[in-house]
Every structure is written in structure tokens, then in C-alpha cells.
Amino acid sequence: MSTSPPPLARRLRDATRDAHHALDHHPALQCLLDAALTREAYAASLLALYPAHAALENRVCREIARLGLHLRVPRRLPRLADDLGSLGLPAEAIDSDTAQLPASPASLAGELYVLEGSRLGGRVIADRLRRTLGPGVPHAFFSLPMVPGEWSRRLDELEALCLPGESDAAVAGAREAFARFHHQLDTHFRG
Ligand code: HEM
């Protein structure tokens, strides 16, 4: 039996649908789904994803700690670094977070939505990578699946972080996280 998502989750999805569409059509990510993907293009994509993901994951984890919240977020950055290492490439994180304002619990809910939601497309991408580049292709970053119920539990956590009347702040946090991620890809993709 499937339950409908909580209200904040529906709002976040509606408010960021365009941003997600723009991001999954970014050349750095579109190429991952291309039947003609080469190992070199995959490497260029991971090199751009590294700083984009690092900025988001590091910020979310740091703000969770600063706010003293008891939220568990799996770290995927080491997986991305390992994938790059297997391709013979360095992982160079650029922490561009210094100018950002501290998060409120509600705006953090929006950022966490983007970070964890980005795992949802991973299985599609991992399947495609194995088909185009072969079963030996390093793809640990895209291969951390959600266990059954994990996403809906996460959405409940986001709901609990956001007090009534604060959903605008959560939406703003999510939209900013998407925009920053997109900007990082624009800056770092050398496809
Ligand atoms: C080529 C790249 C991508 C593909 C193919 C993709 C694909 C998908 C798919 C299929 C879903 C829905 C999964 C489901 O409902 O079970 C999804 C959800 C989501 N993705 Fe992506 N995605 C990509 C990149 C990203 C990136 C880079 C981010 C964020 C940095 C992101 C954030 C999200 C979020 C927040 C959701 C949840 C949407 C909701 O509320 O239902 N995605 N993605």
C-alpha cells in the first residue's frame, strides 16, 4: 500500500520540478544517459559532480551538526572520490560555502530534500553506466539505493523540521540548493 507524501514533500516537489528538469538536462548529467557515453566523458562528468556534491553534502552535514539535530545522512562523497580514483583522477573539493548564511531548520529541510533526493535517480544512472561502459565501471556514487521506506521516512523527518508557516523557507532552501548545484556544474564541467 502506498501512502501519499506529506504536504511539505508535495510542495517541495512542485516548487523544484523545473529546477530538477534543468539539472537532469545539464550536459554534465545528460551525457551519463547517452548510449554513446565514453569513459572520458564519464570522467568529465564525475569531475564536475565532485565539487557540486561536496558543497551540498558538506554544508548539509555541517548545518545539521551546528543546529544540534539528530539526523543521519549517508556520506556519498568518499564514494565519488573512490570512483574518481579508480579512473585515475584526483578528487578536488572546492568548498564554496563560506558566503552562505547559516541554515534554519526549515531551510535545512529543503537542502536535505535536494541532497537525499539526488539518490533517487542513481539506480537509473548506474544501470545505464553498466550497459554503456561495462560491468567493471566504477559507479559507487550512483549505487547507494534507498532501502524500502527510507525515502518516506526522510520526508517525514523534513516535515518535522519545518514548523507550521515555515514551508516558504524550506522551498527557498531547496531552490537555492538546486541553483548552487547547477552553478557548480556550469563552473566545473569541461565536457
Ligand atoms: C541525470 C541525472 C538525474 C536523473 C536521471 C534523475 C532522476 C530522478 C528520478 C527518476 C527521480 C524520481 C525517483 C522516484 O520517484 O522514485 C528523481 C527524484 C529526485 N531527484 Fe533526480 N535525477 C537526476 C539528478 C538529480 C540531481 C543532480 C539532483 C540534486 C542535486 C536531483 C534531485 C532529486 C530530488 C530532490 C528528487 C525527489 C523528487 C520528489 O520529490 O519526488 N536529481 N530524480
Side-chain angles (χ1 to χ4, degrees):
M1 192 182 77
S2 70
T3 52
S4 62
L8 178 65
R10 286 201 299 269
R11 245 208 101 185
L12 288 170
R13 186 171 54 201
D14 290 346
T16 60
R17 190 171 281 118
D18 291 356
H20 186 282
H21 184 76
L23 197 50
D24 74 23
H25 282 70
H26 193 284
L29 297 177
Q30 262 302 293
C31 68
L32 297 174
L33 305 175
D34 190 332
L37 177 70
T38 61
R39 220 170 154 84
E40 290 70 32
Y42 177 46
S45 175
L46 288 188
L47 282 171
L49 271 168
Y50 192 84
H53 184 82
L56 179 57
E57 183 176 291
N58 288 339
R59 161 146 173 112
V60 167
C61 292
R62 186 162 55 230
E63 291 300 292
I64 286 173
R66 191 184 58 79
L67 291 165
L69 299 169
H70 298 286
L71 292 169
R72 290 167 59 95
V73 177
R75 286 280 196 169
R76 281 180 291 148
L77 201 56
R79 289 168 168 261
L80 189 40
D82 284 351
D83 289 341
L84 281 167
S86 302
L87 294 168
L89 294 163
E92 286 171 19
I94 297 139
D95 196 345
S96 54
D97 190 31
T98 46
Q100 281 177 241
L101 292 172
S104 67
S107 64
L108 181 65
E111 295 179 55
L112 181 54
Y113 165 78
V114 178
L115 176 65
E116 282 288 88
S118 71
R119 285 169 62 191
L120 293 173
R123 203 179 57 181
V124 178
I125 296 170
D127 288 349
R128 200 62 84 89
L129 290 173
R130 280 193 299 274
R131 244 181 291 148
T132 49
L133 298 178
V137 64
H139 58 55
F141 177 64
F142 294 111
S143 305
L144 184 65
M146 291 270 177
V147 298
E150 188 177 355
W151 180 236
S152 62
R153 281 194 297 279
R154 183 65 79 189
L155 294 180
D156 289 342
E157 281 178 350
L158 303 184
E159 190 80 19
L161 276 178
C162 194
L163 296 175
E166 290 186 345
S167 60
D168 284 354
V171 166
R175 292 193 66 85
E176 278 165 28
F178 267 116
R180 284 194 299 266
F181 200 99
H182 200 124
H183 176 71
Q184 291 277 352
L185 291 187
D186 284 346
T187 306
H188 297 288
F189 184 52
R190 311 262 178 272

